[in-house]
Amino acid sequence: MWLKPEEVLLKNALKLWVLERSNQYFVLQRRRGYGEEGGGGLAGLLVGTLDAVLDSTSKVAPFRILHQTPDSQVYWSIACGASREEITEHWDWLENNVMNTLSVFDSNEDITSFVQGKIRGLIAEEGKGSFVKEEDPEKFREGLMKFERCFGLPEQEKLVTYYSCSYWKGRVPCQGWLYLSTNFLSFYSFLLGAEIKLIISWDEISKLEKTSNVILTESIHVCSRGEDHYFSMFLHINETFLLMEQLANYAVRRLFDKETFENDLVLHDPLQITKRGLESRAHSEQFSAFFRLPKEETLKEVHECFLWVPFTHYNTHGKMCISENYICFASQDGSLCSVIIPLREVIAVDKADPANRGVSISTKGKRAFRFTEVKDFEQLVTKLQIKCNATSNPQHIISTEVATSSASDSPKDFDELSSKTGQRDNSKTVSTEALMTVYHPQDAENLDSKMLKEKMKEQSWNILFVERGHGVSMFRTKKTRDLVVRGIPEALRGELWLLFSGAVNDMASNPGYYPELVEKSLGTCTLATDEIERDLRRSLPEHPAFQSDTGISALRRVLTAYAYRNPQIGYCQAMNILTSVLLLYAKEEEAFWLLVAVCERMLPDYFNRRIIGALVDQAVFEELIRVHLPQLTDHMTDMTFFSSVSLSWFLTLFISVLPIESAVNVVDCFFYDGIKAILQLGLAVLEYNMEKLLTCKDDAEAVTVLNRFFDSVTNKDSPLPPAVQQGTSLSDTKSDHPKVDITDLIRELSLFYGFIPKRKDSLINFLFILFQLRVVSQDVKFSPSDLDELYDLFKKEHFLSCYWNVNSPVLRHHDASLPYLEQYRIDCQQFRVLCHLLSPWSHCANRDSLALWTFRLMDESSDGLINFKQFAYTMYNGSFTDKLKFLFKLHIPPAFTEVESLSPSKGGDLSKEELIHFSQLSGKHQSVCNALKSSPEKGKGKVDIQAYLKQWQDELLKKEENIRDLPRMNQSQFIQFSKTLYNLFHGDPEEELLYRAIAVVTSLLLKMEEVGRRLQGPMSPVKSPVAITEVSAESLQKGPEEGSSKQTEGGRAQSLKGNHEWSFAFEQILASLLNEPAFVRFFEKPQEIKAKIESAKNLQLKARTRV
């Protein structure tokens, strides 16, 4: 590539470079040791080590071109190359386009100026279409050149950034360079002749974390395919780790959340992904998640400052974060203080106390927030004043009314104002009251002990509101969380859920959206609405609110409106249970926005067909159990028990297992702390029942223990009437189990498990893969470990199509509703790559034809794609009969088709276009058992694994074909079959013996067929099959290739002249071949599948790149 001209001292450089070519104005040099036998000796090794460790222009490429002028000692580097071909191309261009022009200049200075200007122009021209958009383009170009030279990845692979670091190989650190690209984490090191090259695709990473120990103070731990890799000695380890997390998350989203990914214009185009963009995106996502803001918010500015906290009378240190519509603050001094100020609530922004660089922000709630020690506070005040003026136009008046809670002094005002948008034109259809206020109004005159406690709780919150504010802009501190742990009062629950979840901001930003959505969605008829109607009566059926049309109608409207809003999710079981509880404490419109917050922000990817989000958190939950409850882990033989039993806990937030009066306290904590609260409670439940679980003999007994525990959980302070409470009557009948108060349980879990980190998206783990692989292994006769390795290779080939071809048919036909082993499919071109790597017959001259016919045989749906189940059947590893039957089926329809390459010079190789063309020719066959169409998982919201496995086993039985049912092989097919056998035997130690055997068998079969014809009826006076026998005999004398071609010619002549088509049954061929011991030995020879797999893992990416 062309380089920005830089001056070079040639005197010392001569020790590192060797002269290759030169002329009057240019010099081409090669790096010492490169391309020399033995690496150029000790000097070459030292130079190679220097290149790998140092970050300099000289280390980028092994070739370079320098510009010189006569009688000058100054040289300028103008180009470098990773290969001799590349640098030669640059050299030829200079000689053809520049050399003649330089002769017209009078002075050396003019020549140098012209060359430098020309090179800069070439660089600028290249940069127009380049994706190099980093802060230092020249340095990044150098890193990109080395990345391409070291790893040989396709040109489409986008390098994002690279870092100098150490990779720990055992106890020895190896200094080198870590490259982060869109699809791979790569590392390269070269020290004194020892080269280390590591390439890990992001989708293979199962663990990504920062660690520290005695030897490594800070390092990044990467676990891939069971292997641990440690990288340390980063200059900015936090920045590096953040980018690695973003890229891993990007890979996961691209592969498993295709719809969302395609709607993201930046992520959908890898060329748009840059280091700066990823960092900005990561910070914005963290910002939105922490403050529970709409996902559209982008973090614009961060200012370190102090915030005056009036109720403690001191300044707390933290960071002010500003986005398009919000000003937020989070303390960093341990006070756990945070504030969210919507710009729609701001009425004035002023300078305050210029000596302390202060900024004062006044809101409609007659509250002022004072920030001090703000850097560039004057510019910040100006910017905020412009933002506030922009948000105070008439179109924002309604949204201000919706969220006027910050200006209210009582919950009553909040309720009146927040319902205004729901009353317009739709008051007859949209309920404006929470169901709890309708069915369980509080009696202010007759207060029992529980109601008195409830009033005391309300009073505690009112005191908090007076001190810390009421509404969106309230100060949220440790005391706020303590009150949440005790349980939110019934009268304030809906309002505070709305605040803590951030749903109040969504509702304020979309006035009138829900009533309009209800109008559009009611009366629609879809699969989602059918499922909603079926589940309406199953949602809290014991509660009076859902025994009447009022509650059922409200539930129907909310669920139908959400399914209409988000068809990607539509409706999922468990949404009805969650929404029922939301409707008890929130108005209908508020319940809708709470559901939006849960499904789209707080629990992303939970409520869809694949429930990936729940599986992610279950994987985290299992890891937490291993770390904190090791006794339980040792006792349980299968950790999937915890996944199966806890799935309903995560999907319904414990509502489905706990009594309603206790479950709402869990929901309180969830809206404040997020999924962390559910993980904490899950650990607390298991620890509380540890002793009983350790005595259980099977899973059923353990489930019984947990169910009895949940039935015993009560809420002694709940003011709900006994008729509504679920825990009272149940716990009375099960007196053998002590009662557990939910408030005490939550308080204890906060003490013992308050450290649980947020979940990591890169921990995705599909729970049923291994079990399904075991089932396949019984049929294809592989060990589970070998099959697992095969599956990894297959999945990698599928993912490679996703990396560099966003319009791949593999992506267009991807169906997320199918079982995991059937979702990912490969086309004929990808299948050919795997066949060349794995097939024991890959040395065959017509290997492309074999791959094509194999693909056509497995492509039962005729859509040009096959899944892993079908692929596994092609890795033939059975008995002599199995292998021969497989070869036989390849040479009859629907698999067989006449193949003739358009390029005779390529021999038996087919181009990609030819391969795709032949694979799509109609095979005119019916699928025997098309799993893609009949899987019990497809189209259902609920996964029934047992039904799926039973059907799979039935399918395996159906695949046991009777050899008598196979169709007969005609004359031309038999000739091609014989030719394939000749090709298979090439290079075998018993090659000559096998050639003689096949000639004998061919002659015998043709003579048998001739005799059979004569017995059946009069023969036509045409050339008899004996002619073909003679051709086969000649093949022994002239070699397999020539004999095969003659055989083919003889077959064509017979086909043209004869009036009868000769055919052979599989039984005839099998019986004849069994009489030849050499045949039997060849096909029963065990295949070293492990060696093939290991070799394929190393060559797969290179094979793909070559193709």
Side-chain angles (χ1 to χ4, degrees), residues 83 96 116 122 124 155 180 230 291 344 356 388 395 402 416 460 591 593 820 886 972 1025 1034:
S83 65
N96 296 330
Q116 291 181 353
L122 290 173
E155 294 179 357
L180 307 182
Y230 291 90
F291 292 106
R344 63 178 182 268
N356 292 319
C388 292
Q395 66 181 5
V402 174
E416 290 175 356
S460 299
W593 287 112
Y820 187 65
F886 188 83
S972 63
E1034 289 178 14

Side-chain angles (χ1 to χ4, degrees), residues 880 884 974 977 997-1009 1064-1080:
F880 169 78
L884 191 63
F974 177 73
F977 176 73
I998 195 171
V1000 171
V1001 169
T1002 304
S1003 300
L1004 176 62
L1005 285 169
L1006 292 172
K1007 287 177 181 178
M1008 289 170 56
E1009 184 62 23
F1064 304 91
F1066 176 72
E1067 292 171 287
Q1068 293 175 293
I1069 297 175
L1070 176 63
S1072 302
L1073 291 177
L1074 283 172
N1075 290 324
E1076 298 294 331
F1079 267 109
V1080 179

